Amino acid sequence: MTITLYGIKNCDTVKKARKWLEQQGIDYRFIDHRADGLEPAELDLWLATLGWETLVNTRGTTYRSLPQADKAALGPDTAAALLLAHPAMIKRPLLNLDGELHVGFKPELYSRLFNR
């Protein structure tokens, strides 16, 4: 089983997800997409699989601080470039469990995913 968790290490929700995984004794790889960067091809896959509406965090401070023109132009054709420029706008955490993508963290969801 390949488990990769993407997020930002300072994010409280990411911290909760990491703590949950560690408490369950689940080995995973963590990638801080702000510090480590994003692979454009991987981001394209996430956007194709989840859709830009699911992937873009419109409630965070990064989104709220964008110029109004960038917010107005946000859509399927512009999301990738905006997320590459502002990786903190990706909803977190993003869990890749053997190629299956899940956004966000709730203990009950992770319990179901890992059958614990």
Side-chain angles (χ1 to χ4, degrees):
M1 181 180 290
T2 303
I3 303 164
T4 306
L5 189 72
Y6 299 86
I8 296 172
K9 65 181 173 187
N10 300 11
C11 173
D12 288 340
T13 307
V14 170
K15 288 178 186 178
K16 290 175 189 175
R18 293 182 74 183
K19 183 177 179 181
W20 188 94
L21 290 167
E22 289 161 8
Q23 287 176 337
Q24 305 306 313
I26 297 171
D27 289 327
Y28 68 96
R29 188 174 95 185
F30 177 68
I31 296 177
D32 183 325
H33 50 243
R34 183 166 45 192
D36 302 328
L38 284 170
E39 290 294 324
E42 194 164 40
L43 179 59
D44 288 343
L45 174 67
W46 297 349
L47 288 165
T49 304
L50 299 169
W52 70 271
E53 301 94 336
T54 299
L55 203 56
V56 175
N57 179 4
T58 57
R59 296 189 306 167
T61 56
T62 303
Y63 177 82
R64 289 193 310 253
S65 67
L66 286 177
Q68 191 57 40
D70 287 348
K71 292 179 193 176
L74 181 60
D77 297 331
T78 60
L82 200 56
L83 291 174
L84 284 170
H86 305 281
M89 281 186 14
I90 296 173
K91 283 187 186 169
R92 321 177 275 275
L94 187 135
L95 175 70
N96 184 332
L97 180 60
D98 283 335
E100 190 176 298
L101 301 175
H102 302 274
V103 176
F105 170 73
K106 293 198 186 259
E108 56 275 8
L109 169 65
Y110 275 39
S111 291
R112 275 196 319 271
L113 292 172
F114 293 99
N115 296 318
R116 301 201 178 249

